């Protein structure tokens, strides 16, 4: 960049030599009349002499129409100068007048011919001077006759060209024109005759025979290395009389040719800061471009673009989003000379650039760029390379393109769009350091050897240099497998009580990433689905479910290392879990809504739906998720923790059995591996629960012998009690099963296909539970048990919001010492669920009645033996009489 400032200094030199001229009363005619630029060679990268000339308008007396105050020379991009290897003339040595100047002869880097109205045309040396700092990257000095002038060179923050400026020139000098030549190789013998001191210039005396340089022949200027650009040079002049009306003029810059001859041999390395597998890491990247500075050779081409593709597996680490901020174009000061004001939390790395034209290494920072939408596409992963040192305001944008399927990262250093590439400024080495640590922006792959592919394109237009930089991961190689851990349970274990329920699934770095999850709840751990408005299918697709459907929320952690990213982040959108209706054949479902927001990033909202399947015989629930996302916008999820809390008031209900149980999960990894973690679960204080069910059993219809009465059983139970585990009914000796009515039972195959024959239907049943808005009801079948028992089973097939099957085992019991037998029905597998009322009605009559009277009901023992066992182990036994009509209008 300092080389560029040198070129600008050439222009500024000519302007500085041109002093102000005043033309009476015609200040508005003050203007730059002509501008010119030439090179001693148009060869790209050649160390040619550059000459810049300009002239101001004159009146009839050959005087300028106004006195010049400021001159600005804007050199085109790619014009490079390097003042670092040459002696400098200090301000003290420069002096205040030509005769006092003690500038070192070898500090001369060019010569100027300046024309002043009164002094005529003067030939003056141009000296390399120390930069004063600030935004000035280099400075030249010269005398225009008796008038000293300095030329300050600054870097244009838009195209990184150089602007040379003479500011506050002497108003006494009446500048007409200037023609300044900056030497490509100042120590070259061809310049010996033009080496002179300001004192010699003042008396128009050149040293006889010339004067040789005491310095080696080192290039000072280099031609641009791009042959495609049409360049121009512009000059702006500002007068003292009308400072608000500057005059500008442009002229073509010589067309550069011969770019095919330029060399460009970059070398690149990229190494992770952490060699451990599946761990957070930064990177150290070094790009070296050897610069050919031999005077007889051509300069190395500058770099136009760089594309660096990281190896597969070296991916974005979600942990980096925790606390990260973005830096906008306004904050970084893009396109301005203002220093960047990026927030500290946006800094993700540092950079060092060795620029030959600068006195010191350029130090800077790497900042996360604020995501922006361009042409309808949101650019998420971009960063700035920033430095505000030595008069340079470097604000280079770069972009990371993740493969949305694999997460592989391609880094694009394409430069500034308006320039068509990176600044045409040579650098010897760039060292980019991306911070490591627990929240490092990258995550390493498994142990092994990898390669980073790179392609660096030169401005010369020659083919890009491509190659592969090796990389190795050598530590932590024992990671892997798939053994996620499960924690789950109710916050309160009190039996039969409502309590929030929580589940936490965790995995370690390096393990397979969970893809699907099925959670198998224990018997009796239920939910009160009644009264909860369901999220509709359309809303479930987008996650825009009503708040009244919410039953809980989710917390998740993703990323590698000890500090994963937790979602939701403070100040970001909350997560939610909603209850929804039927899904994939299941009666209910759960909709999980997780906004993927962290730091400056918004990767959208993850919607996952889980089917709630209920086992019809045990009423146990299994919740099965849809496939969990593995990658979002190219960022692998790397799920570490999934915590779901169902905390809706009076929603989750504990069992009333205190038997030891377990909550089990079936977790499938993206690799196909399957894990089945489980955790113990046990309710407490079951013995405190009362248990007092009440059954009313009624026979309707014929009471005489051989009559086939209908049967009605009504079981009721008050709330707050233990649920029933087993129910047994032993009918009086007078009641038998009519064998003629059991010859067509429903087979298990027919039952499963919902195709039972009509004669297998014995009646109907209805169950009412406080957990559902609607009762369950359905037919009662005689169903074959496959020969396990002599008689078929009595099966109540209950449908409604859920499907429940109650199976009663039917057999005959004999009284000891007697041939008397009685029919016994045992429901031994009753779900641990509250039922406020259960009604079963069996058909009567000769064609369909199951029971037949062996004796007249009203003249025999009608006692029924009842035995109910609660889930808490309490037993309720009784022997009530069958209710039947005996006598005129009487029921006993």
């Amino acid at each position: 960049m300092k080389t560029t400032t040198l070129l600008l200094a050439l222009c500024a030199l000519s302007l500085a030599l041109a002093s102000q001229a005043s033309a009476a009363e015609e200040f508005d005619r003050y203007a730059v009349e002509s501008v010119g630029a030439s090179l001693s060679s148009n060869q790209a990268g050649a160390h040619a002499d550059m000459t810049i000339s300009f002239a101001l308008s004159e009146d009839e007396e050959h005087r300028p129409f106004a006195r010049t105050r400021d001159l600005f020379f804007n050199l085109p991009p790619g014009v490079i100068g390097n003042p670092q290897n040459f002696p400098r003339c200090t301000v003290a040595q420069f002096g205040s007048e030509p005769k006092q100047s003690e500038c070192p002869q070898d500090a001369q880097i060019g010569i100027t011919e300046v024309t002043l109205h009164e002094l005529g045309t003067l030939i003056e040396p141009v000296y390399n001077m120390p930069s004063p700092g600030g935004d000035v990257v280099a400075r030249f000095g010269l005398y225009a006759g008796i008038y000293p002038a300095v030329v300050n060179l600054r870097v244009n923050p838009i195209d990184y060209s150089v602007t040379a400026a003479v500011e506050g020139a002497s108003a006494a000098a009446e500048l007409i024109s200037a023609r300044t030549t900056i030497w490509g190789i100042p120590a070259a013998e061809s310049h010996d005759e033009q080496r002179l001191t300001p004192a010699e210039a003042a008396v128009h005396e050149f040293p006889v025979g010339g004067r040789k340089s005491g310095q080696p022949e080192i290039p000072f200027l280099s031609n641009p290395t791009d042959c495609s650009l049409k360049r121009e040079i512009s000059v702006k002049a500002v007068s003292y009389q009308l400072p608000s009306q500057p005059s500008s003029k442009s002229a073509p810059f010589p067309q550069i040719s011969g770019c095919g001859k330029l060399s460009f041999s970059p070398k690149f390395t990229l190494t992770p800061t952490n060699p451990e597998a599946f761990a957070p890491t930064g990177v150290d990247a070094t790009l070296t471009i050897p610069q050919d500075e031999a005077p007889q050779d051509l300069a190395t081409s500058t770099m136009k673009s760089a594309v660096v593709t990281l190896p597969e597996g070296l991916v974005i680490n979600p942990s980096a989003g925790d606390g990260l901020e973005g830096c906008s174009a306004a904050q970084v000061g893009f396109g301005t000379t203002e220093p960047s004001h990026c927030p500290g939390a946006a800094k993700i790395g540092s950079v060092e650039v060795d620029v030959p034209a600068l006195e010191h290494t350029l130090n800077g920072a790497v900042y996360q760029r604020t995501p922006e939408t361009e042409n309808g596409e949101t650019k998420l992963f971009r960063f700035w390379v920033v430095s505000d040192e030595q008069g340079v305001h470097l604000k280079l944008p770069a972009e990371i393109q993740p493969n949305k399927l694999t997460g592989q990262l391609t880094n694009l250093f394409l430069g500034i769009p308006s320039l068509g590439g990176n600044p045409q400024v040579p650098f010897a080495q760039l060292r980019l350091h991306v911070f490591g640590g627990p929240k490092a922006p990258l995550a390493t792959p498994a142990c092994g050897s990898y390669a980073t592919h790179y392609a660096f394109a030169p401005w010369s237009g020659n083919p890009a240099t491509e190659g592969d930089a090796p990389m190795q991961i050598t530590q932590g190689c024992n990671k892997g497998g798939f053994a996620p851990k499960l924690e789950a349970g109710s916050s309160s274990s009190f039996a039969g009580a409502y309590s929030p329920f929580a589940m936490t699934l965790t995995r370690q770095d390096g393990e397979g990433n969970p893809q699907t999850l099925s959670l198998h709840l224990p018997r009796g751990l239920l939910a009160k689905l009644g009264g909860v408005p369901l999220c509709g299918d359309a809303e479930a697709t987008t996650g825009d479910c009503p708040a009244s459907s919410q039953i809980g929320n989710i917390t998740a952690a993703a990323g590698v290392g000890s500090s994963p990213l937790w979602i939701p982040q403070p100040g970001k959108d909350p997560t939610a879990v909603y209850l929804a209706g039927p899904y994939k054949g299941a009666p209910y479902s759960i909709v999980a809504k997780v906004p993927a927001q962290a730091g400056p990033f918004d990767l959208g909202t993850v919607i996952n739906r889980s089917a709630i399947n209920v086992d019809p015989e045990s009423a146990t629930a299994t919740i099965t998720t849809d496939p969990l996302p593995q990658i979002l916008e190219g960022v692998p999820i790397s799920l570490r923790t999934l915590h779901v809390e169902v905390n809706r008031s009076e929603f989750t209900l504990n069992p009333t059995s205190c038997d030891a149980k377990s909550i089990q999960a079936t977790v499938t990894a993206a690799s196909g591996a399957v894990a089945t973690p489980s955790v113990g679960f046990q309710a407490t204080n079951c013995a405190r629960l009362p248990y007092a069910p009440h059954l009313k059993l009624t026979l309707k219809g014929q009471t005489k012998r051989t009559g086939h009465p209908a049967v009605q059983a009504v079981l009721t139970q008050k709330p707050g009690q233990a649920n029933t585990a087993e129910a047994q009914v032993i009918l009086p000796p007078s009641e038998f099963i009519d064998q003629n009515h059991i010859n067509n039972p429903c087979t298990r195959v027919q039952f499963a296909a919902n195709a039972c024959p009509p004669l297998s239907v014995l009646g109907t049943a209805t169950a009412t539970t406080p957990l559902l808005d609607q009762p369950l009801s359905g037919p009662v079948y005689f169903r074959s048990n496959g020969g396990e028992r002599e008689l078929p089973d009595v099966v109540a097939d209950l449908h409604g919001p859920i499907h429940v099957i109650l199976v009663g085992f039917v057999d005959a019991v004999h009284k000891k010492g007697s041939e008397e037998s009685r029919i016994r029905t045992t429901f031994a597998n009753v779900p641990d669920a509250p039922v406020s009322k259960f009604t079963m009605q069996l058909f009567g009559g000769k064609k369909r009645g199951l029971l037949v009277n062996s004796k007249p009901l009203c003249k025999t023992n009608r006692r029924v033996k009842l035995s109910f066992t609660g889930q808490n182990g309490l037993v309720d036994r009784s022997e009530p009489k069958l209710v039947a009509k005996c006598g005129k209008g009487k029921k006993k």
Side-chain angles (χ1 to χ4, degrees):
M1 293 183 183
K2 242 171 181 177
T3 54
T4 312
T5 56
L6 276 177
L7 293 177
L8 292 179
L10 271 179
C11 300
L13 191 52
S14 303
L15 295 176
L17 293 174
S19 295
Q20 322 280 348
S22 49
E25 308 298 332
E26 295 184 285
F27 302 138
D28 57 347
R29 296 181 62 184
Y30 174 82
V32 179
E33 189 169 87
S34 65
V35 174
S38 63
L39 295 169
S40 61
S41 171
N42 289 11
Q43 169 62 50
H47 308 299
D49 299 341
M50 180 178 67
T51 299
I52 296 174
S53 61
F54 75 95
L56 301 174
S57 56
E58 305 174 56
D59 63 9
E60 294 178 354
E61 298 179 1
H62 302 291
R63 301 176 68 126
F65 287 100
R67 305 291 178 100
T68 298
R69 186 190 73 180
D70 305 318
L71 290 167
F72 300 94
F73 298 84
N74 297 312
L75 295 178
V79 177
I80 303 301
N82 181 2
Q84 300 306 322
N85 296 324
F86 298 89
R88 290 179 171 86
C89 177
T90 66
V91 173
Q93 290 172 324
F94 189 69
S96 60
E97 58 181 73
K99 293 181 180 180
Q100 296 177 347
S101 177
E102 297 179 354
C103 285
Q105 186 62 68
D106 287 331
Q108 184 180 356
I109 44 89
I111 197 166
T112 185
E113 296 179 13
V114 59
T115 300
L116 307 179
H117 173 66
E118 293 186 357
L119 300 180
T121 299
L122 308 171
I123 299 177
E124 301 283 356
V126 180
Y127 293 104
N128 184 29
M129 297 186 71
S131 167
D135 63 348
V136 177
V137 297
R139 171 176 281 181
F140 299 156
L142 69 151
Y143 280 91
I146 60 173
Y147 304 108
V150 294
V151 184
N152 291 323
L153 292 99
R154 299 180 177 90
V155 176
N156 185 316
I158 298 176
D159 61 6
Y160 295 88
S161 62
V162 174
T163 296
V166 177
E167 298 159 294
S170 172
E174 295 180 281
L175 177 64
I176 300 296
S177 63
R179 185 175 186 273
T180 303
T181 298
I182 300 298
W183 298 329
I185 302 176
E189 185 179 351
S190 58
H191 305 310
D192 288 352
E193 293 184 357
Q194 296 177 310
R195 302 185 204 281
L196 72 165
T197 65
E200 292 171 336
V203 294
H204 308 285
E205 292 182 358
F206 283 82
V208 178
R211 181 180 289 125
K212 291 191 175 295
S213 171
Q215 297 294 311
E217 293 191 6
I218 299 174
F220 183 79
L221 290 182
S222 297
N223 283 349
T225 60
D226 168 38
C227 295
S228 63
L229 184 66
K230 303 296 182 182
R231 296 174 172 84
E232 65 177 21
I233 183 173
S234 66
V235 176
K236 181 174 73 172
V238 180
S239 69
Y240 278 102
Q241 286 78 10
L242 295 174
S244 62
Q245 298 181 22
S247 174
S248 300
K249 194 174 187 64
S250 300
F253 193 82
Q255 184 63 43
I256 301 301
S257 61
C259 286
K261 299 180 181 180
L262 300 181
S263 63
F264 182 70
S265 302
K267 299 178 181 178
F268 182 74
T269 62
L270 185 141
T271 306
T273 60
N274 186 359
E276 180 183 351
F278 305 115
T281 186
V283 293
D284 286 314
T286 301
L287 172 59
T288 302
I289 303 179
Q291 300 295 313
D292 190 343
E293 298 182 351
Q296 69 276 12
D297 294 339
L298 302 178
T300 300
S301 175
T302 51
M303 187 182 74
K304 184 177 183 180
S305 66
V307 178
V308 178
T309 302
L310 301 182
E312 287 193 21
L314 187 61
V315 294
I316 293 175
N317 177 18
S319 302
D322 187 12
L324 184 67
E325 294 184 26
C327 181
S328 66
Q331 289 173 309
V332 83
F334 187 60
T336 72
T337 57
E338 293 295 322
S340 65
H341 295 90
C342 292
K347 188 174 182 180
I348 60 173
S350 61
V351 66
E352 297 177 342
V353 189
D354 293 335
V355 181
L358 295 180
E359 187 171 0
H360 306 290
T361 295
L362 196 63
N363 296 290
V366 181
Y367 292 103
Q368 176 66 49
R369 185 173 177 177
T370 302
E372 297 167 314
T373 300
E374 296 178 359
N375 300 321
E377 180 183 1
T378 301
K379 304 287 188 178
L380 289 172
F381 307 111
R382 302 195 291 183
F383 59 91
W384 302 103
V385 176
V386 178
S387 180
D388 290 298
E389 287 189 346
Q390 302 180 71
V392 177
H393 296 283
L394 179 67
K395 315 289 174 61
L396 287 183
E399 183 172 345
I400 300 175
Q401 287 186 349
N403 184 307
K404 294 188 177 182
L405 296 179
T406 66
Q408 186 172 19
L409 304 176
T410 298
N411 300 271
L412 305 177
F413 299 84
L414 303 182
I416 301 171
S418 61
L419 303 183
N422 288 295
Q424 297 186 48
V425 178
F427 63 88
Q429 191 173 82
L430 182 147
R431 297 177 294 279
L432 185 70
H433 172 66
V434 177
F435 296 151
K439 296 181 181 180
L442 297 174
T444 57
C447 285
S449 298
Y450 300 88
T452 298
H453 186 75
Y454 57 82
F456 302 116
W459 272 104
S460 65
N462 290 329
T465 298
E466 296 193 43
D468 294 294
M471 183 190 87
Q472 288 190 328
I473 303 297
T474 57
Q475 298 179 14
C477 301
N478 58 342
K479 297 179 181 179
F482 187 60
K485 302 296 188 296
L486 177 70
E487 292 292 334
S490 302
S491 60
S492 170
S493 61
F494 203 98
Y498 288 104
S499 173
F501 175 82
M503 180 221 71
T504 303
L505 185 74
T506 58
R507 62 172 280 275
Q508 298 300 311
D509 282 336
E511 290 186 353
N513 204 50
Q515 187 173 56
T516 59
L517 167 65
S518 291
L519 188 68
H520 314 287
L521 298 181
R523 191 184 186 99
L525 184 59
L526 305 172
K528 186 179 180 181
L529 305 176
V532 181
L534 301 181
C535 178
D537 285 341
E539 292 84 358
T541 302
T542 60
D544 296 324
C545 298
S548 57
S549 300
Q550 187 170 353
I551 60 173
N553 51 55
I554 288 179
T555 304
V560 298
S562 59
S563 299
L565 170 72
W566 286 92
I567 298 291
Q569 290 267 285
K572 302 295 183 181
D573 293 343
T575 64
V577 176
Y578 302 98
L579 184 67
Y583 183 64
K584 292 185 175 181
Y588 289 91
S589 59
I590 290 175
V591 176
K593 178 181 180 181
V594 181
Q597 300 172 345
F601 306 118
D602 187 344
L603 305 186
T605 301
V606 177
I607 307 298
N608 189 276
R609 197 165 180 181
S610 304
I612 305 177
N613 288 285
V614 179
D615 183 277
E617 294 193 5
S618 64
T620 56
T622 296
I623 303 167
T624 302
T625 69
D626 280 347
L628 303 175
Q630 301 299 298
I631 190 167
L632 287 177
E633 297 295 332
V635 180
I637 298 301
S638 299
L639 184 67
R640 298 289 299 283
T641 300
L642 177 63
H643 177 79
V644 181
E645 185 167 352
V646 180
N647 53 15
R648 184 185 180 99
S649 178
E650 294 193 354
F651 182 75
T652 308
L653 185 66
N654 284 337
T656 60
S657 166
C658 288
D659 292 343
K661 303 177 181 67
S662 66
I663 300 174
Q664 298 178 336
T666 301
V667 191
T668 303
S671 62
V674 177
T676 56
S678 65
V679 61
F681 179 87
Q682 189 170 18
T684 60
N685 299 297
C686 294
R688 295 186 181 184
L689 296 176
Y691 181 62
H694 179 264
L695 177 66
K696 181 180 180 181
L697 194 60
T698 304
L699 296 184
K700 296 182 179 182
Q702 295 180 347
T703 60
K704 66 180 182 178
R705 183 177 179 276
T706 70
H708 293 77
V711 181
Q712 177 178 282
V714 179
L715 177 66
T716 57
Q717 190 173 2
K718 294 181 179 180
Q721 299 184 14
N723 301 321
T724 296
E726 181 180 296
Q728 188 179 90
V729 178
I730 301 177
L731 296 177
S734 61
E735 301 307 306
F736 282 86
I737 293 177
D738 190 336
Q739 297 294 323
N740 294 324
H741 292 176
I742 63 173
N743 56 5
N744 193 24
C746 180
T747 67
R748 288 180 177 269
V749 174
Q750 290 171 324
F751 185 86
N754 196 26
C756 290
L759 292 180
S760 67
V761 179
L762 303 178
T764 61
T766 300
T768 302
T769 171
L771 302 184
L772 299 173
D773 286 327
Q774 302 172 8
L776 306 179
S777 62
V780 177
Y781 295 103
F782 236 177
R783 189 185 73 179
S784 171
N785 54 46
E788 295 179 2
R789 288 169 296 278
E790 181 179 353
L791 294 174
D793 298 332
V794 175
V795 178
D797 191 20
L798 305 178
H799 292 268
I802 62 174
H803 181 204
V804 173
I805 299 173
L806 290 176
V807 180
F809 306 141
V810 182
D811 61 359
V813 293
H814 298 274
K815 184 178 180 181
K816 291 183 180 180
S818 172
E819 295 183 357
E820 178 184 280
S821 65
R822 305 176 72 168
I823 299 301
R824 178 175 62 184
T825 303
T826 304
F827 293 88
N829 192 33
V830 180
D832 188 358
V835 176
S836 56
K837 184 177 182 180
F838 177 79
T839 302
M840 180 181 289
Q841 293 181 326
L842 303 182
F843 300 139
K846 290 184 178 181
K847 292 184 178 181
R848 304 187 69 179
L850 177 64
L851 297 182
V852 60
N853 301 328
S854 64
K855 299 177 182 179
L857 285 179
C858 296
K859 296 181 180 181
T860 187
N861 175 18
R862 298 198 307 275
R863 294 277 176 189
V864 181
K865 291 186 177 182
L866 303 180
S867 177
F868 292 93
T869 303
Q871 295 283 348
N872 61 353
L874 293 180
V875 178
D876 183 272
R877 293 187 177 92
S878 62
E879 294 189 23
K881 280 187 177 182
L882 277 173
V883 177
K885 285 188 177 181
C886 293
K888 295 181 180 181
K890 295 181 180 180
K891 184 184 291 185
K892 293 185 179 179

